[in-house]
């Protein structure tokens, strides 16, 4: 640091950093600060460099932690930054590059120090370090203004009030990153924090006044997707005042600084992610999601979530109810366009989910759009490429579809939108298909993938719920979509009988079924002549008939037989036995979906009728099954309309807070945390 350009590896030896963290107190008016803040070195552009920066910072921080109670140098640095930010807006208007450059450097140092402080000490110790002043050893002022609160408020003011120009882009990103770091104490706790310094400063006091303005600014940063200035354009002139201070960045150094934004900084930690075109939009979205998912304070709800729940369209002239705090307006058309364009990232999909689920104004607006394909197609593409996505991203995309399908208008309109040449759908060439039929194909494919790979009950349940919501409004189904509905159901019908065979007759070498039914009073002659390996129509019919009479007894005997054959200890049933209930649930739901379609829109779906008639023999077998006979017998009768509504878990923060912070860890630009320090979520093996 200081007047000479530095490499990251040299930082622990840097004389200016040694003085900052040393035993000598430095007054906030000392010329030393101009020297310290006139550093220039290429910003880290890889996870390796970020790790080196972290290690170098730890060395300086530990020295500062030891000496700060006597020197108060951390407080002095914060005050230098605060005094400079008061002139930052004017400096931006006057194009004062040098002043903004030094102010950014001050914030960069603070952010690096703060990140290590938060990781290595308790919140109480952290707050104490912000109170130390240059007095007698160990003393601090108890009646002074809360410096930490003033610093957080200053960050919020910087984010919301400083005009976004080429020369302020970098400091705007740094301010948002520092806010993320301030909130990062959650990373180092296994349990969700319900009381922390974030609750103390962000949900009450002076910072509360910035709530709606901050949320609005972060949303607009996401909407605008402002790119950083091109490399080489942000160059400070080299000057010298005779004292050896170098107020400038060489062209190559400036290029290096901006490269971190162009390349994404931490791309090596998330290699599958696309190149980020707007670091400001990315950091803003991550901060917004962190704020929205803070737990409520003991005496007040999360104001940032309240702001997200209540904002309205700029074209909505109706007054806000007095009971709604932190209200503001934003351009819904611009927001909708940005959401449609950015769905390749987890965080954009999570924002879409948050807005659809929590803001009724947004939900109403989106459902009224006549170009819903622009939003639905990216969501379907996420589900289609399920193998390449993490499970949380897939789950969020699916819940978005479930929320949309709760609306009958949406379910009708998607069958009126005709799409041409869906190139990413590779199983079959789709030259022309309705959005509704494509949605059915992708959701069925997702269920199939889940049943064979991930085996997540919640995933297939929500897939089936979305199809069920749509079923009464199925219209003019594409031939392939109709075939997939019937063929997928038939596949599980066959699989169900096969699992029953394995469950009740586990000895594959047996040639008859007599051994399993010999103790029962029911007549089993018809079954005796059938082998376990060939599940014929008459076998299925008789087996289901027998199940309806002796289901529990047969299941009990089969279970006991299985356990006895495996070991004398309590051994869980094989996978195929555990699958039985899941398969039965899928079959029943698919039959109800077919039934709902035939009941409500028979004449609109000839392709489904043809596909059903083609497989009629297989469906006939299940008329006597106790779990399906009510649906089978109602195939031509009135059947109640299926309707499912998405409801969040009682404690959604247990899912969303670790998820949001995993996105911050993997996607934040220029921020690195040692994976060994992370407690909130389990790190991936890679």
């Amino acid at each position: 640091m200081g007047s000479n350009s530095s490499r990251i590896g040299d930082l622990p030896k840097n004389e200016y950093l040694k003085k900052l963290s040393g035993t000598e107190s430095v007054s906030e008016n000392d010329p030393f600060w101009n020297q310290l803040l006139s550093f220039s070195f290429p910003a880290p552009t890889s996870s390796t460099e970020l790790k080196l920066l972290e290690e170098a910072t730890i060395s300086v921080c530990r020295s500062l932690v030891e000496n700060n109670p006597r020197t108060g140098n951390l407080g002095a640095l914060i005050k230098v930054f605060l005094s400079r930010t008061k002139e930052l807006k004017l400096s931006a208007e006057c194009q004062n590059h040098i002043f903004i450059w030094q102010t950014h450097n001050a914030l960069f140092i603070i952010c690096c120090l703060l990140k290590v402080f938060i990781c290595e000490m308790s919140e109480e110790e952290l707050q104490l370090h912000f109170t130390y002043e240059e007095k007698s050893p160990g003393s601090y002022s108890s009646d002074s203004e809360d410096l930490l609160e003033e610093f957080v408020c200053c960050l919020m003011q910087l984010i919301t009030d400083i005009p976004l120009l080429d020369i302020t882009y970098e400091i705007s990103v740094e301010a948002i990153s520092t806010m993320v770091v301030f909130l990062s104490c959650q990373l180092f706790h296994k349990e969700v924090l319900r009381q922390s310094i974030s609750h103390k400063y962000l949900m009450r006091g002076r910072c509360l006044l910035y709530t709606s303005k901050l949320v609005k600014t972060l949303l607009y940063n996401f909407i605008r997707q402002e790119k950083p200035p091109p490399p080489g354009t942000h160059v400070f002139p080299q000057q010298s005042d005779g004292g050896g201070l170098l107020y400038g960045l060489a062209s190559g150094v400036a290029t290096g600084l901006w490269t971190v934004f162009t390349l994404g900084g931490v791309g090596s930690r998330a290699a599958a992610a696309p190149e980020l075109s707007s670091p400001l939009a990315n950091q803003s979205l991550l901060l917004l999601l962190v704020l929205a998912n803070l737990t409520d304070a003991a005496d007040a709800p999360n104001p940032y979530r309240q702001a997200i729940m209540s904002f309205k369209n700029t074209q909505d002239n109706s007054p806000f109810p007095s009971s709604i705090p932190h209200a503001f307006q934003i351009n819904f058309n611009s927001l909708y366009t940005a959401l449609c364009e950015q769905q390749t990232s987890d965080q954009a999909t999570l924002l879409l989910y948050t807005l659809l689920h929590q803001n009724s104004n947004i939900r109403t607006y989106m459902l009224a759009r006549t170009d819903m394909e622009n939003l639905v197609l990216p969501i379907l593409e996420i589900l289609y490429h399920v193998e390449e996505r993490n499970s949380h991203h897939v789950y969020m995309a699916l819940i978005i579809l479930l929320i949309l399908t709760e609306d009958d208008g949406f379910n009708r309109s998607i069958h009126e939108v005709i799409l041409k040449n869906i190139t990413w759908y590779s199983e079959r060439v789709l030259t022309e298909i309705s959005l509704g039929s494509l949605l059915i194909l992708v959701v069925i494919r997702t269920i199939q993938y889940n049943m064979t790979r991930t085996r997540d009950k919640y995933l297939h349940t929500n897939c089936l719920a979305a199809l069920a919501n749509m079923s009464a409004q199925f219209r003019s189904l594409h031939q392939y979509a109709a075939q997939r509905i019937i063929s997928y159901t038939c596949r599980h019908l066959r699989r169900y009988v096969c699992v029953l065979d394995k469950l009740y007759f586990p000895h594959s070498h047996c040639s008859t079924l007599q051994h399993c039914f010999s103790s029962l009073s029911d007549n089993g002659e018809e079954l005796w002549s059938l082998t376990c390996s060939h599940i014929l129509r008459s076998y299925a019919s008789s087996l289901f008939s027998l199940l309806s009479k002796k289901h529990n007894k047969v299941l009990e005997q089969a279970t006991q037989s299985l356990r006895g054959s495996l070991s004398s200890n309590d051994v869980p049933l094989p996978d195929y036995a555990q699958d039985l209930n899941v398969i039965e649930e899928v079959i029943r739901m698919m039959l109800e979906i077919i039934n709902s379609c035939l009941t409500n829109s028979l004449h609109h779906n000839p392709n489904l009728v043809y596909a059903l008639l083609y497989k009629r023999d297989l469906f006939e077998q299940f008329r006597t099954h106790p779990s399906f006979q009510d649906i089978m017998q109602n195939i031509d009768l009135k059947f109640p309309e299926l309707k499912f509504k998405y409801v969040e878990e009682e404690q959604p923060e247990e899912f969303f807070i670790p998820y949001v912070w995993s996105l911050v860890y993997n996607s934040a630009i220029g921020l690195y945390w040692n994976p060994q320090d992370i407690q909130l979520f389990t790190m991936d093996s890679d």
Side-chain angles (χ1 to χ4, degrees), residues 279-406:
L280 180 65
N282 181 72
Q283 302 293 83
S284 296
L285 179 52
L286 291 172
L287 176 56
L288 180 63
L289 292 172
V290 169
L291 292 171
N293 286 280
L294 289 173
T295 57
D296 294 337
D299 55 350
N302 179 345
Y304 305 94
R305 188 183 300 123
Q306 285 184 317
I308 287 174
M309 291 173 63
S310 59
F311 71 84
K312 300 193 305 184
N313 196 351
T314 49
Q315 297 179 353
D316 186 347
N317 297 320
S318 61
F320 283 101
S322 57
S323 59
I324 297 181
H326 317 299
F328 63 92
Q329 291 179 289
I330 206 165
N331 188 307
F332 278 14
N333 182 61
S334 300
L335 178 58
Y336 179 81
T337 301
L339 287 168
C340 292
E341 293 174 349
Q342 301 299 320
Q343 286 308 304
T344 52
S345 74
D346 281 69
Q347 46 267 40
T349 304
L350 182 54
L351 175 63
L352 175 57
Y353 160 81
T354 302
L355 296 177
L356 274 175
H357 179 58
Q358 298 185 2
N359 190 312
S360 60
N361 300 320
I362 281 282
R363 185 166 60 252
T364 301
Y365 173 84
M366 288 187 176
L367 289 170
R369 295 280 303 204
T370 57
D371 59 347
M372 278 298 289
E373 67 272 17
N374 292 336
L375 185 68
V376 175
L377 281 173
I379 298 300
L380 294 183
E381 198 166 353
I382 293 169
L383 294 177
Y384 185 79
H385 297 294
V386 59
E387 303 93 340
E388 304 168 12
R389 305 290 182 178
N390 69 69
S391 59
H392 287 0
H393 196 185
V394 171
Y395 190 72
M396 287 296 100
L398 184 57
I399 296 303
I400 288 168
L401 287 185
L402 180 56
I403 293 172
L404 293 174
T405 60
E406 292 172 11

Side-chain angles (χ1 to χ4, degrees), residues 3 31 34-35 38 238-247:
S3 60
N34 278 337
Q35 297 171 321
S38 297
Q238 295 190 23
Q239 300 177 14
S240 176
D241 64 354
L245 299 184
L246 178 65
Y247 291 102

Side-chain angles (χ1 to χ4, degrees), residues 123 185 192-201 204 295-299:
E123 291 186 342
C185 55
V192 169
L193 294 178
R194 302 184 186 279
Q195 187 62 42
S196 66
I197 55 173
S198 59
H199 291 83
K200 176 180 179 181
Y201 293 113
R204 56 177 65 88
T295 57
D296 294 337
D299 55 350

Side-chain angles (χ1 to χ4, degrees), residues 112-127:
C112 291
L113 296 174
L114 185 62
K115 186 155 68 69
V116 178
F117 272 46
I118 289 175
C119 178
E120 297 211 343
M121 65 180 62
S122 68
E123 291 186 342
E124 291 75 16
E125 291 178 283
L126 175 66
Q127 293 178 82

Side-chain angles (χ1 to χ4, degrees), residues 4-19:
N4 297 319
S5 297
S6 307
R7 292 184 298 108
I8 293 175
D10 297 334
L11 294 182
K13 305 174 186 177
N14 184 278
E15 58 179 300
Y16 298 100
L17 291 179
K18 282 184 176 181
K19 185 172 182 178

